[in-house]
Amino acid sequence: MENTPVERKKRVLSLIQPTAVPTLGNYLGALKNWKNMSEDYDCIYGVADLHALTIHPDPASLRKQSLEMFALMLSVGLDPEKNIVFFQSHVHTHSELAWILNCYTQFGEASRMTQFKEKSAKHAGNITVGLFDYPVLMAADILIYQADFVPVGADQKQHLELARDIADRFNTMRGNTFVLPEPFIGKVGAKISSLQDPTQKMSKSDPNPKASISLLDPPEVILKKFKSAVTDSEAVVRYADGKDGINNLMAIYSCCTGKSFEEIENEFAGKGYGDFKVAVAESVIEELRPVQDNFKRLIADKAYLNEVAKNGAQAATRISQRTLAKVQKKVGLYMP
Ligand code: ATP
Ligand code: LTN
């Protein structure tokens, strides 16, 4: 119809830290949704390399892991012709907005972040101001693009709420400026647990290699890790309270095969955990095979990755600059 205004596609934004090779938890909780949303939304995805600085990574490792993470983002199927993919540190507006938002964030609300409490307990000898300020930089990442949806795992929900609170406060004090972002948290897969301690989340910085599946683990390693996954003594594949290990394996299998929990229970009725673990491992191997093949090809083509990163940074800078200029004006910075 001629006079119908073209509706702006909703915008999606998410970043991931290059602290190690991502795990199956990162993939099922975040990256897979990034890919699923990339057809229907206007998507912006990035490597959160500035966030990774909060725990003092070795500089050479950070550089290598950042490029690998970038290649992996493309390997899961994000098309740089249709989405913006970039490195956070290549887009200066994030840090500039973060400083301004720091001045609109209460010390008390930032102190309540559970991830800060957990990480400062883990890195007790190295609690930097950067670690404390991490969620404000994350709020800047989101708000600077006026993002409508932020696909993340369940552990990031509190950070998203803080970003909304900061945006709301700024809008109230200085006039409507920011879109209030909604978290997009998948129903299954939002909280994949450690294979060795299913009460804990699977984390890429877990020092026990058996606890997590890396996206680049070869098939035989994946099989071995699932075979040694901690379960329970009931020997019945069913989803129930107190069966954290089996619940986790069912969530993984469901995400990789599209089967419901009921279908899975029927499929494995009368079978033992051994058969089930092998089936879960095989579904993960098949799910990751194309990702691993793409990664092998892309990581060998640094010139291509650099070109994509340069284009992504330019596009992201262009969009984010508009919000930054608006904010600078609203807070009263003199602009000639
Ligand atoms: P680290 O161990 O370095 O803190 P991490 O594994 O928690 O890292 P992040 O870079 O903090 O990973 O998170 C990247 C994305 O993956 C986020 O959206 C986060 O919510 C999601 N995610 C992380 N761990 C899991 C998990 N176990 N299950 C589901 N989603 C997860
Ligand atoms: N803190 C996030 C990574 C992250 C992020 C973001 C996620 C940094 N900036 C913006 C969504 C939107 C994490 O996953 N640990």
Side-chain angles (χ1 to χ4, degrees):
M1 274 183 286
E2 245 172 70
N3 290 328
T4 314
V6 183
E7 253 192 61
R8 166 168 100 74
K9 268 194 188 175
K10 294 276 184 193
R11 183 166 288 153
V12 166
L13 169 122
S14 201
L15 270 62
I16 182 165
Q17 296 186 82
T19 35
V21 177
T23 66
L24 187 62
N26 301 131
Y27 176 74
L28 298 179
L31 291 167
K32 197 173 174 182
N33 289 330
W34 293 16
K35 154 82 176 122
N36 289 342
M37 296 177 97
S38 68
E39 294 297 327
D40 301 328
Y41 297 93
D42 169 15
C43 297
I44 305 177
Y45 296 126
V47 176
D49 49 0
L50 295 176
H51 276 104
L53 292 179
T54 51
I55 52 160
H56 289 178
D58 163 59
S61 310
L62 177 63
R63 211 169 285 123
K64 179 168 176 283
Q65 283 164 7
S66 297
L67 187 67
E68 286 177 356
M69 182 60 87
F70 191 68
L72 267 167
M73 281 165 42
L74 301 180
S75 304
V76 302
L78 301 178
D79 178 352
E81 300 289 328
K82 293 192 188 143
N83 310 284
I84 296 177
V85 278
F86 72 108
F87 289 77
Q88 184 187 33
S89 65
H90 297 180
V91 183
H92 64 88
T93 49
H94 293 231
S95 313
E96 289 178 64
L97 180 62
W99 175 255
I100 297 176
L101 295 185
N102 274 330
C103 305
Y104 286 79
T105 307
Q106 294 300 312
F107 185 82
E109 63 187 342
S111 311
R112 283 194 289 275
M113 296 296 109
T114 46
Q115 195 172 81
F116 171 70
K117 291 185 204 159
E118 280 165 20
K119 291 217 168 174
S120 35
K122 217 158 141 194
H123 304 276
N126 180 29
I127 306 172
T128 64
V129 176
L131 190 64
F132 184 70
D133 200 28
Y134 177 117
V136 183
L137 177 59
M138 178 165 163
D141 296 336
I142 299 166
L143 301 179
I144 205 154
Y145 295 104
Q146 309 287 359
D148 298 287
F149 298 114
V150 183
V152 281
D155 61 320
Q156 294 301 313
K157 194 162 176 260
Q158 195 188 29
H159 288 163
L160 252 299
E161 277 158 13
L162 179 68
R164 282 175 66 92
D165 290 345
I166 297 171
D168 192 38
R169 178 173 307 127
F170 192 95
N171 288 349
T172 305
M173 288 175 71
R174 302 286 170 234
N176 220 5
T177 310
F178 296 119
V179 167
L180 298 194
E182 300 276 350
F184 179 91
I185 299 176
K187 281 199 191 72
V188 188
K191 190 167 178 271
I192 299 299
S193 304
S194 153
L195 298 184
Q196 291 301 313
D197 177 0
T199 62
Q200 298 297 315
K201 79 162 191 166
M202 185 182 283
S203 166
K204 56 177 137 64
S205 53
D206 194 319
N208 180 357
K210 285 164 80 181
S212 62
I213 304 286
S214 141
L215 291 199
L216 298 178
D217 275 345
E220 60 282 7
V221 173
I222 296 178
L223 182 62
K224 209 164 153 200
K225 286 184 181 175
F226 276 110
K227 280 187 173 168
S228 68
V230 169
T231 50
D232 54 68
S233 54
E234 192 195 37
V236 180
V237 177
R238 67 184 182 99
Y239 197 93
D241 279 349
K243 286 172 71 75
D244 295 330
I246 287 296
N247 295 348
N248 188 40
L249 296 183
M250 286 177 73
I252 293 172
Y253 191 60
S254 169
C255 287
C256 294
T257 59
K259 292 177 186 169
S260 66
F261 287 162
E262 201 186 335
E263 286 170 319
I264 299 171
E265 287 174 358
N266 291 336
E267 183 179 351
F268 291 96
K271 295 189 184 154
Y273 287 167
D275 289 344
F276 179 50
K277 285 178 170 180
V278 171
V280 178
E282 280 170 356
S283 73
V284 170
I285 291 167
E286 283 320 308
E287 176 79 22
L288 297 186
R289 193 185 303 281
V291 178
Q292 298 190 349
D293 290 348
N294 290 338
F295 179 78
K296 261 186 226 134
R297 188 170 40 79
L298 284 169
I299 201 66
D301 195 350
K302 201 167 166 187
Y304 171 74
L305 294 174
N306 287 346
E307 184 62 22
V308 172
K310 195 176 101 197
N311 293 339
Q314 275 171 358
T317 303
R318 208 178 319 117
I319 298 173
S320 57
Q321 193 74 58
R322 277 184 231 138
T323 307
L324 182 64
K326 218 171 169 187
V327 170
Q328 287 169 328
K329 196 167 159 207
K330 291 207 173 190
V331 297
L333 298 180
Y334 174 69
M335 294 287 149

